[in-house]
C-alpha cells in the first residue's frame, strides 16, 4: 500500500551568535542618519523598495539583509562592502576587514551594482546649489510642490517614475550637462563599463570570434572600466612589441559594442523576456487507493504562487490516473501557443519509484516517456526553448519507516518496476531539457503533512530569494540541494539529496518580477 510521509520541521536558518549581534549594534551606533540613508540607497537592488521604505535605522537594514540571507555571522562581506562604499573605513575592523582586504575581494564578492555605485557617487558630488538647479530643470517631471531633501531622494524618485533605469540614464546626462559637465565623467565611466562588461563572462573565444569578424581589431580587450575597480587584463595585443608589459589597447567603438553585447547575451542565455513567459503544468496526485499524500496541496499552492509570480500561466491538475497523465502530455504537446512562449515547466507531485511516477490508479508512468512528448520533433513549437520538469516523488523504497514518517513511494510488493533507471536515461537525448528530481535514484523523498515536501518548499523558497538576485536556474538548484541536505527526520537518521540533470545549452535566468515575492 502507499503511504504519505510525516516529518518534523527542519531548521532552515543559521543561528546568529550574540557576538555577531553585538558587532552590528556597535556599527549601527556609529552611523548617523545620512549614513543610514546611503546604506539604504545602496541596498535598493538587493531588498525590495517597499521593505526599505520602513527603514528607520541601520539595525533595520541589517535585519532585512539577514532575512534575505545576505548577511550572517559566517559571511559579513556585504556589510563590509557597504561601509567601504560610504567610505566609513574605520568601522571595517569591527568585522575583521581592512580597506585593502575589501578591495581585494570586491571583484568576486561585490554585490552593489555598478549602476547603484554610479548613482551614489553622483549624489555625493552634487552640492546643495547643484541640487536646486537640477530640481528646477526637472520641474515638469516632478510632482507639484514636491520637496527633495537630498540627491539620493531625487534619484529614487526618478527611478519610481521610470525616468531613470540602469539602461537609460539620459535624464541625468541632460541635467548634468547643464548644471555641471564634470559630473558627466561619472556617467560616462558607467556607460563604458556597461558596454564592455559582457566580455568578462564570454572568455577568450569571444575575442577570437571578434578577430575573425573584425581582423583590424584583434588586439587586446581590457575591461578597465569596471566601476571603481582596478583594470583587468583579459587578452594581450597580437602586436605586442619588445615584451613590454604595457600593451596597446584597441577598443571597439561604442556602437559596435552595443551590437555585439546583444549577440553574446543571446548566445549565453535563453530568451526569457517575452510578453508571455510560458505554461506551467502542476500535476498534484493526492488521493490514492489506499492512502493520501497529505501536505501535497501545500506544495501545489506554493508552486502556483511562485511560478505565477515568475510570469508563467499555471494550470493545476489533481488526482490523475496514469492514462490521464499521458493524455495530458499529448494534449499539451500540441498546444500552438507554445510558439509565443519562452519556456515550458511541468511539476509532478506523486508517488514514484526508479525512473517512474505513479498515477492515482497505482500504475507507473515513465518519466522519460512524459518528457519525450516535448522534444523538438514531437513539439516543434518548443524547439530550442528550455523545458523544465520538477518531480516530487520517491525513486526507491528501501527505508525503514519510523512512526509518523512515510514516503512518496509504494511498498516493494505493489511495484511493477523491478529495475532501477538511471537519471540520465530519464532525459530525452536532446538539448534544452532540465529534470529536477527530489531525490537520487533508489531513495525516498520526504514530505511534511502540513508544511509540504522538503524539496518543493526549498525550491519555491530559493526561487523567491535568488531570482531577484539574477541567479540562473542551475545555481538556484545547487542552493536547493544544500537546503534539502540540511533537513532531517525526527529520528535524526533520515536524510535526502535532490538531483538535477540537464541537457541545457545556455543559462536559464528568469527576469526579475516587478512584484515582491509571494511569501
Amino acid at each position: 500500500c502507499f503511504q504519505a510521509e510525516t516529518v518534523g520541521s527542519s531548521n532552515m536558518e543559521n543561528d546568529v551568535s550574540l557576538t555577531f549581534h553585538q558587532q552590528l549594534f556597535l556599527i549601527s551606533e556609529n552611523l548617523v542618519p545620512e549614513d543610514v540613508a546611503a546604506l539604504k540607497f545602496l541596498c535598493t537592488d538587493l531588498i525590495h523598495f517597499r521593505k526599505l521604505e520602513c527603514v528607520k535605522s541601520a539595525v533595520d537594514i541589517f535585519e532585512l539583509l539577514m532575512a534575505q540571507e545576505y548577511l550572517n555571522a559566517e559571511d559579513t562581506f556585504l556589510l563590509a562592502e557597504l561601509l567601504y562604499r560610504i567610505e566609513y573605513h574605520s568601522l571595517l575592523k569591527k568585522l575583521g576587514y581592512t580597506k585593502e582586504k575589501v578591495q581585494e575581494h570586491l571583484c568576486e564578492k561585490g554585490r552593489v551594482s555598478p549602476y547603484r555605485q554610479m548613482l551614489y557617487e553622483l549624489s555625493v558630488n552634487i552640492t546643495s546649489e547643484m541640487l536646486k538647479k537640477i530640481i528646477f530643470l526637472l520641474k515638469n517631471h516632478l510632482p507639484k510642490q514636491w520637496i527633495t531633501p537630498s540627491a539620493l531622494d531625487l534619484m529614487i524618485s526618478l527611478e519610481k517614475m521610470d525616468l531613470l533605469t540602469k539602461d537609460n540614464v539620459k535624464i541625468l546626462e541632460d541635467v548634468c550637462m547643464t548644471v555641471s559637465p564634470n559630473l558627466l565623467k561619472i556617467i560616462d565611466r558607467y556607460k563604458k563599463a556597461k558596454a564592455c562588461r559582457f566580455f568578462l563572462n564570454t572568455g577568450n573565444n569571444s575575442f577570437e570570434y571578434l578577430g575573425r569578424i573584425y581582423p583590424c581589431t584583434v588586439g587586446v580587450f581590457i575591461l578597465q572600466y569596471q566601476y571603481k575597480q582596478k583594470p583587468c587584463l583579459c587578452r594581450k595585443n597580437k602586436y605586442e612589441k619588445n615584451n613590454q608589459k604595457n600593451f596597446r589597447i584597441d577598443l571597439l567603438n561604442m556602437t559596435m559594442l552595443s551590437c555585439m553585447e546583444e549577440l553574446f547575451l543571446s548566445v549565453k542565455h535563453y530568451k526569457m523576456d517575452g510578453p508571455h513567459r510560458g505554461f506551467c503544468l502542476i500535476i498534484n496526485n493526492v488521493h490514492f487507493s489506499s492512502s493520501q499524500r497529505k501536505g501535497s496541496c501545500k506544495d501545489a499552492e506554493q508552486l502556483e504562487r511562485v511560478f505565477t509570480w515568475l510570469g508563467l500561466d499555471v494550470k493545476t491538475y489533481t488526482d490523475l490516473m496514469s492514462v490521464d497523465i499521458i493524455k495530458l502530455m499529448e494534449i499539451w504537446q500540441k498546444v500552438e501557443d507554445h510558439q509565443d512562449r519562452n519556456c515550458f515547466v511541468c511539476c509532478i507531485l506523486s508517488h514514484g519509484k526508479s525512473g517512474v511516477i505513479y498515477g492515482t490508479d497505482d500504475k507507473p508512468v515513465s518519466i522519460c516517456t512524459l518528457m519525450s512528448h516535448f522534444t523538438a520533433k514531437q513539439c516543434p513549437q518548443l524547439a530550442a526553448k528550455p523545458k523544465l520538469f520538477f518531480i516530487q516523488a520517491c525513486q526507491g523504497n528501501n527505508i525503514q519507516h519510523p512512526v509518523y514518517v512515510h514516503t512518496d513511494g509504494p511498498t516493494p510488493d505493489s511495484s511493477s518496476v523491478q529495475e532501477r533507471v538511471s537519471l540520465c536515461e530519464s532525459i530525452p537525448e536532446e538539448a534544452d531539457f532540465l529534470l529536477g528530481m527530489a531525490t537520487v535514484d533508489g531513495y525516498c523523498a520526504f514530505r511534511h503533512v502540513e508544511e509540504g515536501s522538503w524539496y518543493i518548499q526549498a525550491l519555491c523558497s530559493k526561487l523567491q530569494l535568488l531570482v531577484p538576485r539574477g541567479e540562473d536556474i542551475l545555481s538556484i538548484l545547487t542552493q536547493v540541494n544544500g537546503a534539502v541536505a540540511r533537513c532531517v527526520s525526527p529520528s535524526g537518521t533520515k536524510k535526502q539529496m535532490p538531483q538535477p540533470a540537464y541537457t541545457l545549452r545556455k543559462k536559464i535566468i528568469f527576469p526579475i518580477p516587478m512584484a515582491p515575492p509571494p511569501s
Side-chain angles (χ1 to χ4, degrees):
C1 62
F2 286 78
Q3 294 179 313
E5 69 277 13
T6 310
V7 300
S9 300
S10 61
N11 182 8
M12 302 292 286
E13 301 177 353
N14 295 326
D15 293 332
V16 183
S17 67
L18 176 61
T19 302
F20 177 54
H21 278 95
Q22 289 174 334
Q23 288 176 325
L24 298 183
F25 178 76
L26 291 174
I27 291 173
S28 68
E29 288 292 289
N30 285 273
L31 298 174
V32 298
E34 290 77 9
D35 298 324
V36 175
L39 294 179
K40 179 178 173 180
F41 180 80
L42 291 172
C43 290
T44 302
D45 298 326
L46 306 175
I47 302 172
H48 197 272
F49 188 76
R50 291 180 186 176
K51 295 182 179 180
L52 286 173
E53 283 183 327
C54 302
V55 166
K56 302 297 181 184
S57 67
V59 169
D60 293 336
I61 297 176
F62 300 158
E63 289 180 344
L64 288 173
L65 291 175
M66 287 188 287
Q68 293 291 314
E69 299 184 19
Y70 283 116
L71 178 64
N72 56 59
E74 289 74 33
D75 185 2
T76 60
F77 184 80
L78 176 57
L79 180 53
E81 180 189 2
L82 293 172
L83 295 174
Y84 169 81
R85 298 294 182 196
I86 67 173
E87 298 185 355
Y88 214 138
H89 302 144
S90 62
L91 290 179
L92 292 175
K93 62 183 179 181
K94 296 185 182 298
L95 298 172
Y97 283 96
T98 61
K99 176 183 175 182
E100 292 72 25
K101 188 175 180 181
V102 173
Q103 290 175 329
E104 180 183 349
H105 293 92
L106 272 180
C107 188
E108 60 173 308
K109 300 181 69 175
R111 287 237 180 227
V112 182
S113 69
Y115 167 68
R116 195 60 48 187
Q117 294 173 48
M118 179 270 293
L119 295 184
Y120 177 70
E121 186 180 1
L122 268 182
S123 71
V124 171
N125 285 275
I126 293 176
T127 65
S128 57
E129 288 300 317
M130 290 179 187
L131 182 59
K132 291 179 182 178
K133 295 177 182 178
I134 292 174
I135 294 175
F136 176 78
L137 292 171
L138 297 176
K139 186 176 181 180
N140 293 334
H141 296 284
L142 301 174
K144 293 182 179 180
Q145 298 180 345
W146 184 74
I147 300 175
T148 308
S150 69
L152 289 180
D153 292 320
L154 174 64
M155 304 289 186
I156 292 173
S157 298
L158 293 175
E159 287 186 291
K160 282 184 175 180
M161 293 183 285
D162 205 29
L163 296 174
L164 177 63
T165 69
K166 65 182 179 67
D167 298 316
N168 182 13
V169 294
K170 187 177 186 304
I171 194 167
L172 287 183
E173 292 178 293
D174 292 342
V175 296
C176 288
M177 175 65 74
T178 303
V179 174
S180 178
N182 284 334
L183 295 176
L184 287 174
K185 296 178 181 178
I186 299 173
I187 302 175
D188 287 341
R189 253 200 334 267
Y190 164 73
K191 290 179 66 176
K192 289 177 181 177
K194 183 176 182 296
C196 295
R197 196 173 296 113
F198 74 99
F199 285 112
L200 187 63
N201 296 321
T202 55
N204 288 344
N205 288 339
S206 60
F207 295 105
E208 296 168 3
Y209 178 72
L210 283 173
R212 293 195 297 271
I213 301 178
Y214 302 96
C216 60
T217 320
V218 294
V220 205
F221 291 89
I222 231 181
L223 299 181
Q224 63 190 87
Y225 299 107
Q226 290 298 311
Y227 200 77
K228 279 193 172 182
Q229 295 175 13
K230 295 180 180 180
C232 173
L233 181 64
C234 294
R235 186 175 174 88
K236 292 184 178 181
N237 192 290
K238 181 178 179 179
Y239 307 108
E240 177 184 352
K241 296 180 180 180
N242 301 324
N243 295 320
Q244 295 178 351
K245 292 184 178 180
N246 296 322
F247 307 116
R248 172 170 155 256
I249 307 299
D250 287 325
L251 291 176
L252 297 177
N253 63 67
M254 301 309 294
T255 302
M256 194 279 286
L257 274 175
S258 178
C259 296
M260 294 308 297
E261 178 177 15
E262 182 177 351
L263 169 64
F264 281 110
L265 288 179
S266 67
V267 172
K268 184 180 177 185
H269 304 134
Y270 287 103
K271 177 178 173 57
M272 294 290 285
D273 58 354
H276 304 289
R277 193 83 65 243
F279 292 106
C280 172
L281 309 186
I282 300 175
I283 298 175
N284 182 26
N285 284 348
V286 179
H287 301 94
F288 287 75
S289 59
S290 59
S291 69
Q292 293 185 26
R293 295 183 60 257
K294 296 180 180 180
S296 188
C297 289
K298 180 68 177 289
D299 285 344
E301 291 169 2
Q302 188 72 340
L303 284 169
E304 182 173 353
R305 284 195 294 266
V306 170
F307 280 106
T308 299
W309 171 68
L310 291 174
L312 284 90
D313 299 317
V314 179
K315 311 291 183 183
T316 301
Y317 302 87
T318 304
D319 293 340
L320 299 184
M321 293 189 296
S322 57
V323 63
D324 295 325
I325 295 174
I326 295 175
K327 286 181 179 179
L328 185 67
M329 297 297 105
E330 292 173 347
I331 291 172
W332 277 97
Q333 81 174 109
K334 299 175 183 177
V335 172
E336 292 294 332
D337 286 350
H338 286 314
Q339 187 170 353
D340 300 323
R341 265 68 177 179
N342 297 142
C343 66
F344 175 74
V345 177
C346 181
C347 306
I348 301 178
L349 316 174
S350 189
H351 288 306
K353 202 177 179 183
S354 184
V356 304
I357 54 93
Y358 284 85
T360 54
D361 54 354
D362 297 349
K363 294 182 179 180
V365 180
S366 165
I367 295 173
C368 184
T369 298
L370 295 179
M371 297 178 68
S372 65
H373 285 85
F374 300 95
T375 61
K377 182 177 180 179
Q378 298 297 325
C379 184
Q381 299 92 335
L382 285 173
K385 299 177 182 180
K387 280 79 70 172
L388 288 65
F389 288 76
F390 298 102
I391 311 292
Q392 166 58 36
C394 283
Q395 288 297 284
N397 55 2
N398 298 320
I399 287 184
Q400 182 178 0
H401 306 294
V403 178
Y404 300 122
V405 177
H406 304 164
T407 63
D408 260 347
T411 54
D413 57 357
S414 66
S415 173
S416 60
V417 179
Q418 302 299 322
E419 298 179 357
R420 290 186 182 179
V421 179
S422 71
L423 193 59
C424 293
E425 294 174 352
S426 295
I427 301 182
E429 293 181 358
E430 185 170 322
D432 309 311
F433 278 91
L434 167 67
L435 173 61
M437 298 295 299
T439 182
V440 295
D441 186 57
Y443 290 86
C444 293
F446 297 100
R447 171 176 30 83
H448 192 286
V449 295
E450 294 179 352
E451 298 178 5
S453 65
W454 289 353
Y455 177 66
I456 296 299
Q457 292 302 313
L459 174 65
C460 292
S461 174
K462 295 303 181 182
L463 283 170
Q464 294 177 84
L465 176 66
L466 299 175
V467 166
R469 301 182 188 180
E471 297 281 0
D472 69 281
I473 192 65
L474 294 182
S475 298
I476 293 174
L477 290 179
T478 300
Q479 294 276 345
V480 171
N481 279 9
V484 175
R486 291 192 293 271
C487 298
V488 63
S489 66
S491 64
T493 59
K494 305 298 185 292
K495 303 285 286 185
Q496 181 179 327
M497 176 54 67
Q499 183 179 12
Y502 59 92
T503 58
L504 301 175
R505 297 173 295 112
K506 311 174 188 178
K507 288 185 177 181
I508 301 175
I509 300 179
F510 285 98
I512 300 174
M514 296 297 293
S519 62

